Amino acid sequence: MGDSPDTEPDIQEDKPESKSDLSYSMESKAHSKSILHTAKFPWADVCGFFLGKKSKTGVIISDAIPMFHTALFSPMLEVSFKLVQKYCESKDTDEGTTIVGMYFAPARNNYSGTYPKIKKIAGKVKTLCNNNDLCLGIINNASLADESQSGFTLLCGSAWKETSNFKVNDLKIANAKLTTLLSKQKEDSLCDIESWFEDLSLDWRNTQVVV
């Protein structure tokens, strides 16, 4: 995502992990906010955090925090992580909310399915979270026109392999909500953390954009 060699995150190797049968489910708010982010910056690679809760059997992805739309480098990543982590621990979120993943959307028409740099960045976040079940959602813009698809490929594990144990809850309803938001051009009101760094009056939580 435009990183220069001297500003790439300090990546540590993932620790060995046991096999997991965890299921991953995404709620409509997380689905809409992450896709609105890529709709706002179709010319750029974008990324953000997934928030949610984890149990012994599954991970619920309930919200998304848009993060960046240009270069993602280590100082900005760690500052953003601490900012969002503090938000998760605040009274503004449900008890137990934490960072459960990241999402990434390549610039329009630039989907390849393999993104070594974003996988390294997600590995860094996995280390910061101390969470080997952290997931990485890849948005395929080309598939968004198909209302039978979620638009996401979800990767997890130390090798970032696609999991089949993933769904968007009530996909038809989620896609209908997304279509309504796009028709109202809600992406124009969406703010990511990068934009907030430039204008602190903006709300990177986007609580009024998607409810």
Side-chain angles (χ1 to χ4, degrees), residues 34-73:
S34 51
I35 295 176
L36 286 176
H37 192 199
T38 189
K40 180 164 186 174
F41 303 104
W43 44 267
D45 295 346
V46 304
C47 66
F49 291 120
F50 280 141
L51 308 185
K53 295 182 180 181
K54 175 186 170 184
S55 68
K56 291 182 179 179
T57 58
V59 175
I60 298 175
I61 304 167
S62 57
D63 200 357
I65 302 294
M67 191 162 50
F68 297 109
H69 59 270
T70 59
L72 176 58
F73 53 88

Side-chain angles (χ1 to χ4, degrees), residues 66-124:
M67 191 162 50
F68 297 109
H69 59 270
T70 59
L72 176 58
F73 53 88
S74 187
M76 290 176 70
L77 175 65
E78 295 198 21
V79 169
S80 300
F81 171 81
K82 290 176 182 177
L83 186 70
V84 175
Q85 188 177 48
K86 187 174 181 180
Y87 171 60
C88 289
E89 296 168 354
S90 73
K91 294 181 179 179
D92 294 327
T93 62
D94 294 336
E95 186 176 356
T97 298
T98 187
I99 296 171
V100 295
M102 284 189 69
Y103 68 84
F104 170 73
R108 186 172 292 168
N109 300 323
N110 195 29
Y111 181 81
S112 71
T114 60
Y115 303 97
K117 186 171 288 188
I118 196 65
K119 289 176 182 177
K120 287 183 179 180
I121 292 169
K124 172 67 174 179

Side-chain angles (χ1 to χ4, degrees), residues 41-201:
F41 303 104
W43 44 267
D45 295 346
V46 304
C47 66
F49 291 120
F50 280 141
L51 308 185
K53 295 182 180 181
K54 175 186 170 184
S55 68
K56 291 182 179 179
T57 58
V59 175
I60 298 175
I61 304 167
S62 57
D63 200 357
I65 302 294
M67 191 162 50
F68 297 109
H69 59 270
T70 59
L72 176 58
F73 53 88
S74 187
M76 290 176 70
L77 175 65
E78 295 198 21
V79 169
S80 300
F81 171 81
K82 290 176 182 177
L83 186 70
V84 175
Q85 188 177 48
K86 187 174 181 180
Y87 171 60
C88 289
E89 296 168 354
S90 73
K91 294 181 179 179
D92 294 327
T93 62
D94 294 336
E95 186 176 356
T97 298
T98 187
I99 296 171
V100 295
M102 284 189 69
Y103 68 84
F104 170 73
R108 186 172 292 168
N109 300 323
N110 195 29
Y111 181 81
S112 71
T114 60
Y115 303 97
K117 186 171 288 188
I118 196 65
K119 289 176 182 177
K120 287 183 179 180
I121 292 169
K124 172 67 174 179
V125 175
K126 183 184 288 190
T127 299
L128 290 170
C129 291
N130 192 27
N131 176 12
N132 279 332
D133 295 312
L134 192 96
C135 62
L136 172 60
I138 306 293
I139 300 175
N140 182 354
N141 292 308
S143 72
L144 295 176
D146 185 346
E147 293 186 355
S148 69
Q149 297 190 41
S150 69
F152 279 90
T153 298
L154 201 75
L155 311 179
C156 58
S158 59
W160 297 112
K161 298 294 186 182
E162 180 177 357
T163 177
S164 59
N165 208 0
F166 163 68
K167 68 175 182 177
V168 173
N169 296 332
D170 300 315
L171 179 60
K172 236 181 218 187
I173 295 173
N175 278 334
K177 287 182 178 179
L178 175 62
T179 298
T180 298
L181 291 166
L182 289 169
S183 69
K184 295 180 179 179
Q185 298 182 315
K186 285 290 188 177
E187 69 272 18
D188 293 343
S189 304
L190 185 124
C191 164
D192 60 16
I193 291 176
E194 180 176 341
S195 298
W196 177 78
F197 282 148
E198 298 172 358
D199 182 355
L200 298 182
S201 69

